[in-house]
Amino acid sequence: MTARILVAGIGNIFLSDDGFGSEVIRHAGIARDDPGIRVTDYGIRGMHLAYDLLEEWDTLVLVDAVPSRGSPGTLHVFQAECDEDPETACAPELDAHSMDPNAVFASLRALGGTPPYTVVVGCEAGSVEEGIGLSEPVARAVPRAVRAVEEIVSALQSSAAREER
């Protein structure tokens, strides 16, 4: 059984560094013809992502800008903690910008679904002010984030292949 992986870029390209997820997805060199993998730039379409998650994906790789802790451009890769309590379910420390991942997971639960295993590839934002284009430190992080996403997908595929044997 092949792993089903959804790679989702989220964020608002009109709010500077909030467009990080979209930029990473645009450059990701992941096979788009593999039926077990979907790579999508959701932008700010949270309900679209919630409905797509009803398809029971094994893993969600969420790519987004995260609040700055003083080091714009710093990448963070972590597993989102999910449990059945709606107050704490899948509560990665993501910014409540135009698309709040917690709201997506709440919508998913309201639709009868459950969040899959979720890995977040986040980059500390320098600016989320109105404007198109990433700040220099965040733009420099895009190639590293692309590699991280590609490596995560490859590792998930390899793990699923080993489990099949």
Side-chain angles (χ1 to χ4, degrees):
M1 180 176 179
T2 304
R4 298 192 69 238
I5 304 165
L6 176 59
V7 181
I10 62 174
N12 187 334
I13 63 168
F14 298 109
L15 295 178
S16 191
D17 291 342
D18 197 43
F20 172 78
S22 298
E23 190 68 10
V24 171
I25 293 304
R26 190 166 71 87
H27 292 287
I30 299 171
R32 309 286 171 133
D33 59 348
D34 184 330
I37 299 173
R38 183 182 304 158
V39 180
T40 303
D41 176 6
Y42 286 92
I44 58 172
R45 299 181 326 253
M47 282 306 295
H48 183 182
L49 175 56
Y51 277 109
D52 282 355
L53 287 170
L54 287 172
E55 296 177 29
E56 298 183 14
W57 296 91
D58 298 311
T59 303
L60 169 64
V61 178
L62 195 59
V63 186
D64 194 12
V66 297
S68 181
R69 295 182 177 156
S71 299
T74 300
L75 285 181
H76 299 277
V77 178
F78 56 95
Q79 175 184 339
E81 297 295 325
C82 299
D83 59 34
E84 294 303 315
D85 180 358
E87 294 296 316
T88 60
C90 287
E93 292 183 39
L94 299 178
D95 196 2
H97 50 274
S98 299
M99 183 176 112
D100 180 2
N102 290 323
V104 171
F105 294 130
S107 297
L108 173 62
R109 287 189 194 295
L111 293 167
T114 56
Y117 170 73
T118 301
V119 177
V120 178
V121 177
C123 179
E124 289 188 32
S127 171
V128 289
E129 300 298 318
E130 286 186 18
I132 297 176
L134 303 176
S135 66
E136 188 176 325
V138 172
R140 283 194 312 264
V142 169
R144 291 178 303 174
V146 166
R147 280 191 306 278
V149 168
E150 292 168 351
E151 288 171 4
I152 290 165
V153 169
S154 178
L156 290 165
Q157 288 176 311
S158 295
S159 177
R162 281 191 303 274
E163 289 176 13
E164 286 180 15
R165 291 184 214 150

